[in-house]
């Protein structure tokens, strides 16, 4: 058992400490999860590309999809006519990933709810959302940007874009760096 204090012995390995064994087991389990998640992402992207009528929501909250995953989702959304809700909270896409999603929403007329909380998009991500998503897209009704490092400058860009937008009804910006002026 790896819980003993004695090092494990194997003909090809002289010693494996219990701590190292737990680390190896954790990594192996993590890798299995990563493989399973990658196939989940690929399956979701394929369904979105095929306009699967049962796919109305993509929820990748707390998944580490990064910019590459955001690129796959963005490409699938360009011609998608079924997805109405996109949840990317804490998916580690950053401002580059948000830019890809925002540009895809220029031509997507079905997504009405977009959750981008906790993605550290900053003011550059806010500016991209302001232009591509709020000025160009008039389908989005809910936008969630909580805890993204957006300052007063980013909030002003969003506010300016809202002048040209008549569809957005809900905008969540708490836990950003906007301050009292925003």
């Amino acid at each position: 058992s790896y819980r003993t204090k004695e090092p494990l012995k194997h003909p090809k390995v002289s010693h494996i400490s219990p701590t190292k064994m737990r680390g190896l087991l954790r990594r192996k389990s993590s890798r299995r999860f990563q493989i399973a998640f990658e196939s989940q992402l690929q399956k979701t992207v394929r369904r979105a590309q095929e306009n699967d009528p049962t796919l109305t929501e993509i929820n990748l909250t707390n998944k580490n999809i990064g910019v590459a995953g955001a690129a796959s989702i963005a490409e699938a959304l360009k011609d998608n006519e079924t997805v109405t809700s996109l949840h990317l909270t804490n998916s580690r896409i950053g401002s580059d990933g948000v830019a890809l999603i925002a540009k895809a929403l220029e031509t997507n007329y079905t997504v009405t709810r977009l959750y981008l909380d906790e993605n550290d998009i900053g003011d550059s991500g806010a500016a991209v959302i302001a232009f591509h998503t709020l000025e160009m897209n008039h389908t989005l009704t809910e936008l969630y940007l909580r805890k993204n490092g957006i300052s007063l400058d980013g909030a002003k860009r969003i506010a300016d874009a809202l002048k040209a937008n008549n569809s957005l009804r809900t905008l969540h910006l708490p836990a950003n760096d906007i301050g009292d002026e925003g």
Side-chain angles (χ1 to χ4, degrees), residues 70-71 73-80 86 98-109 111 132-133 137:
I73 294 294
E75 189 61 35
L77 285 176
K78 286 181 182 176
D79 297 317
N80 180 274
L86 180 59
V98 164
L100 296 167
I101 297 295
K103 288 175 186 171
L105 292 179
E106 274 188 32
T107 58
N108 178 289
Y109 302 105
V111 173
H132 293 287
T133 306
N137 176 301

Side-chain angles (χ1 to χ4, degrees), residues 56-57 83-87 105 110-115 139-144:
T56 58
E57 178 178 280
V83 174
T84 60
S85 186
L86 180 59
H87 300 258
L105 292 179
T110 58
V111 173
T112 59
R113 290 184 313 276
L114 180 59
Y115 298 82
T139 308
L140 199 65
T141 59
E142 298 176 32
L143 178 59
Y144 298 85

Side-chain angles (χ1 to χ4, degrees), residues 37 40-63 65 69-89 91 93 101 104-105 108 110-116:
F37 173 70
Q40 175 192 352
L41 176 63
Q42 291 167 348
K43 182 179 178 182
T44 301
V45 167
R46 180 186 46 76
R47 289 178 63 203
Q49 288 171 330
E50 293 172 354
N51 276 303
D52 179 342
T54 63
L55 182 66
T56 58
E57 178 178 280
I58 294 176
N59 190 342
L60 296 170
T61 296
N62 296 322
K63 306 293 185 201
I65 66 167
S72 296
I73 294 294
E75 189 61 35
L77 285 176
K78 286 181 182 176
D79 297 317
N80 180 274
E81 298 173 352
T82 63
V83 174
T84 60
S85 186
L86 180 59
H87 300 258
L88 296 175
T89 296
S91 57
I93 60 175
I101 297 295
L105 292 179
N108 178 289
T110 58
V111 173
T112 59
R113 290 184 313 276
L114 180 59
Y115 298 82
L116 294 171

Side-chain angles (χ1 to χ4, degrees), residues 1-178:
S1 168
Y2 70 87
R3 292 179 187 253
T4 65
K5 299 228 185 254
E6 291 295 316
L8 297 173
K9 304 220 187 243
H10 186 275
K12 294 183 180 178
V13 179
S14 60
H15 297 294
I16 298 178
S17 71
T19 304
K20 183 161 182 129
M21 179 57 79
R22 282 190 294 275
L24 290 169
L25 291 171
R26 228 178 282 122
R27 268 184 258 145
K28 189 173 183 180
S29 173
S30 175
R31 179 69 182 142
R32 267 187 250 148
F33 171 78
Q34 185 179 4
I35 291 168
F37 173 70
E38 286 171 2
S39 57
Q40 175 192 352
L41 176 63
Q42 291 167 348
K43 182 179 178 182
T44 301
V45 167
R46 180 186 46 76
R47 289 178 63 203
Q49 288 171 330
E50 293 172 354
N51 276 303
D52 179 342
T54 63
L55 182 66
T56 58
E57 178 178 280
I58 294 176
N59 190 342
L60 296 170
T61 296
N62 296 322
K63 306 293 185 201
N64 184 12
I65 66 167
V67 176
S72 296
I73 294 294
E75 189 61 35
L77 285 176
K78 286 181 182 176
D79 297 317
N80 180 274
E81 298 173 352
T82 63
V83 174
T84 60
S85 186
L86 180 59
H87 300 258
L88 296 175
T89 296
N90 192 30
S91 57
R92 300 182 183 186
I93 60 175
S95 60
D96 292 339
V98 164
L100 296 167
I101 297 295
K103 288 175 186 171
L105 292 179
E106 274 188 32
T107 58
N108 178 289
Y109 302 105
T110 58
V111 173
T112 59
R113 290 184 313 276
L114 180 59
Y115 298 82
L116 294 171
D117 300 321
E118 300 180 47
N119 273 296
D120 196 29
I121 66 169
D123 290 337
S124 60
V128 170
I129 288 170
F131 179 72
H132 293 287
T133 306
L134 297 176
E135 287 183 23
M136 306 300 275
N137 176 301
H138 297 281
T139 308
L140 199 65
T141 59
E142 298 176 32
L143 178 59
Y144 298 85
L145 297 171
R146 180 180 57 85
K147 203 174 178 184
N148 266 307
I150 299 170
S151 73
L152 182 59
D153 183 52
K156 284 181 180 179
R157 288 181 182 224
I158 290 171
D160 288 341
L162 288 173
K163 293 174 187 173
N165 181 296
N166 59 7
S167 64
L168 197 70
R169 300 287 175 249
T170 303
L171 174 63
H172 284 221
L173 283 168
N176 281 291
D177 302 321
I178 297 168

